Amino acid sequence: MSQMNRRRALQLLAALGTTGLAAGCGSDTDTEDTPSPRSPIKIGLIVPSIGPNKAIGDEITNGFQLFLSLNNQQLGGHPVTLVPAEEGDNAKSGQAAVDRLVKEGVLALTGVVSSAVMSGIRDTVEQARVPLIGSNASPTSLQSVVYIWRTSYVLDEPGEALGAYLRQQGVSGRIAIFAPQGTGSRDVIDGFRRGYEQEGHRLTEDPVLTSDDPNPGKGAFAGVIQKALGKRPDAIFCNYAGTAAVQFIKQLYDAGYEGKLYAPGFLTEGTVLSQLDDGEEGEQRARILKHGIETALNYSPDLNNTANRVFASAYRKTYNASPTTYAMASYDAAQVLDKAIRLVGDYTTPQAVNLALGKIGQIDSPRGAWQFNQPRTPQQKWYLRRVMLDGRLLSNVVVNELATLG
């Protein structure tokens, strides 16, 4: 087969996808622009550089750049230029980022923090026929895609893992549920309900949906917390992150709550614990250690496997901080691109890389081994983490495996 026919065959196969999903669209007019063997390539990085999601965007950037730094700034043997684009916080800003990066000739896209942005750019990515390896946002509504892959999770999975765990532990259905308004919270709560409501168990309390303000004030949750505690719940499940998580936890304990708090692991990721930790004699630390915060997540920096020892050590050395699930998923996004581009070989095109992504098999990840399932998301383990002292600091410590989902 001639080289031109070989490239044409790869592009046609890529348009059909790798798992029997709907075919992509668009014409093949760019065959003559195929990079020469081992030529430099561009990867587009879509993250927020301002606003409440900036911290997650920074983690995603760090994770991807760390993989490059450990691999001679190459993916699949090709020198890489990482081209950032501002994600913003809505579909319009996300679409503008995708359009600009595609015009710049990127081989693939990665990043995306916001579920609203991910949903908003779906059609733009599919029509561009450039693979997107998302490293955070993953709404359950994102179905039947050909060019969108995710190395993070699906939003309902941490709730499902915790719901099943609480049912198995015999926790009654009198669980107060708090979450900000939005599709992400609905996915999390639906997963929690699905995991818990089996074998005759039922949740008896309606969810309390609060403002989706990412920077709530010191009294933002006080009223709804007091009302819920008046019903004497046996446990509390919530879905907050960042500043909202800090304020919710503080106001919950200030209201006199004496039970356990359960949540997806984003509740205690990033700088949340350092903001809550008021030292060895601090009242806030004492409350957390006495009553207990347990979370479900697909990663913890204390996981004992070779891939994580390499990743976590290098991350701490480079950034002087412990890695989060956001950084880990972005590191894995770089890893799967490395494997896919290596499979393609010298003559890379976005369509050929997309085809190769379905053939890379198992990933030796810091979270533990995983692989893509049919919907192009990870089949992976979920871990139960408990906030405990690690030395002198509050930390998320893995205490058990909860489930394999995906």
Side-chain angles (χ1 to χ4, degrees):
M1 180 183 291
S2 70
Q3 188 61 57
M4 182 62 74
N5 287 339
R6 175 179 176 273
R7 280 180 282 169
R8 176 65 175 171
L10 282 172
Q11 291 170 339
L12 290 173
L13 285 170
L16 295 175
T18 61
T19 56
L21 302 177
C25 57
S27 62
D28 296 317
T29 60
D30 57 350
T31 56
E32 296 301 323
D33 295 328
T34 301
S36 58
R38 304 303 183 204
S39 63
I41 59 176
K42 296 179 182 179
I43 303 296
L45 176 67
I46 303 172
V47 289
S49 61
I50 57 174
N53 286 331
K54 178 183 182 302
I56 299 175
D58 290 345
E59 290 277 346
I60 288 173
T61 301
N62 291 348
F64 203 96
Q65 288 183 333
L66 181 63
F67 184 90
L68 292 178
S69 69
L70 295 176
N71 291 274
N72 300 315
Q73 299 298 314
Q74 295 184 357
L75 293 176
H78 294 260
V80 172
T81 298
L82 194 60
V83 185
E86 175 58 43
E87 175 178 332
D89 57 5
N90 56 58
K92 185 177 180 180
S93 59
Q95 289 165 1
V98 172
D99 288 340
R100 179 172 72 79
L101 291 170
V102 170
K103 287 179 181 177
E104 291 195 29
V106 298
L107 182 65
L109 304 162
T110 190
V112 188
V113 172
S114 165
S115 292
V117 172
M118 178 63 86
S119 297
I121 66 176
R122 177 192 186 278
D123 292 344
T124 305
V125 172
E126 294 289 290
Q127 291 166 12
R129 300 175 63 240
V130 175
L132 164 62
I133 298 83
S135 51
N136 188 60
S138 189
T140 59
S141 59
L142 196 66
Q143 301 288 333
S144 300
V145 289
V146 175
Y147 284 89
I148 299 178
W149 308 72
R150 286 147 286 170
T151 58
S152 51
Y153 49 84
V154 180
L155 277 173
D156 59 354
E157 292 177 348
E160 182 177 354
L162 268 179
Y165 170 72
L166 295 188
R167 171 175 50 81
Q168 293 160 4
Q169 294 299 306
V171 177
S172 83
R174 294 172 56 203
I175 302 172
I177 300 172
F178 296 87
Q181 298 174 3
T183 57
S185 288
R186 288 196 292 273
D187 287 344
V188 170
I189 293 170
D190 287 346
F192 183 68
R193 188 177 300 278
R194 183 169 61 252
Y196 186 88
E197 292 188 336
Q198 298 180 30
E199 303 171 359
H201 293 78
R202 290 291 179 267
L203 295 170
T204 61
E205 304 300 316
D206 292 330
V208 178
L209 298 180
T210 61
S211 167
D212 60 356
D213 183 357
N215 294 296
K218 293 183 178 180
F221 303 108
V224 292
I225 287 174
Q226 286 288 0
K227 184 176 180 180
L229 293 186
K231 299 181 180 180
R232 304 180 67 83
D234 290 330
I236 288 179
F237 174 84
C238 71
N239 179 46
Y240 296 103
T243 301
V246 173
Q247 288 298 330
F248 182 81
I249 293 170
K250 284 184 176 180
Q251 292 172 44
L252 181 66
Y253 289 135
D254 285 345
Y257 180 60
E258 297 286 334
K260 278 192 174 183
L261 176 60
Y262 300 95
F266 323 113
L267 183 78
T268 53
E269 279 291 272
T271 62
V272 171
L273 290 181
S274 64
Q275 294 180 65
L276 289 170
D277 197 345
D278 51 3
E280 295 182 9
E281 303 299 326
E283 183 177 349
Q284 194 69 55
R285 174 190 280 195
R287 288 171 173 173
I288 291 172
L289 295 176
K290 176 183 178 183
H291 304 305
I293 299 176
E294 293 186 349
T295 64
L297 203 59
N298 59 349
Y299 175 70
S300 183
D302 65 330
L303 287 174
N304 186 22
N305 62 64
T306 301
N308 189 50
R309 287 193 292 270
V310 171
F311 167 67
S313 175
Y315 194 94
R316 291 186 180 104
K317 182 178 180 180
T318 303
Y319 301 110
N320 195 32
S322 290
T324 63
T325 189
Y326 312 119
M328 178 278 298
S330 188
Y331 180 89
D332 273 3
Q335 184 174 188
V336 301
L337 276 171
D338 179 68
K339 291 171 72 72
I341 293 169
R342 198 172 301 280
L343 280 176
V344 171
D346 294 335
Y347 296 93
T348 56
T349 67
Q351 296 79 29
V353 171
N354 194 67
L355 178 64
L357 284 165
K359 301 178 179 179
I360 59 178
Q362 194 170 82
I363 303 299
D364 185 18
S365 167
R367 77 187 84 177
W370 65 272
Q371 60 188 17
F372 283 121
N373 58 16
Q374 187 177 19
R376 290 162 155 72
T377 61
Q379 184 179 40
Q380 62 186 323
K381 291 180 179 178
W382 286 86
Y383 303 94
L384 180 68
R385 311 186 311 171
R386 184 174 298 139
V387 177
M388 303 170 64
L389 283 178
D390 184 7
R392 295 184 177 181
L393 300 176
L394 290 176
S395 301
N396 295 298
V397 178
V398 171
V399 296
N400 198 10
E401 290 182 12
L402 288 175
T404 297
L405 300 174

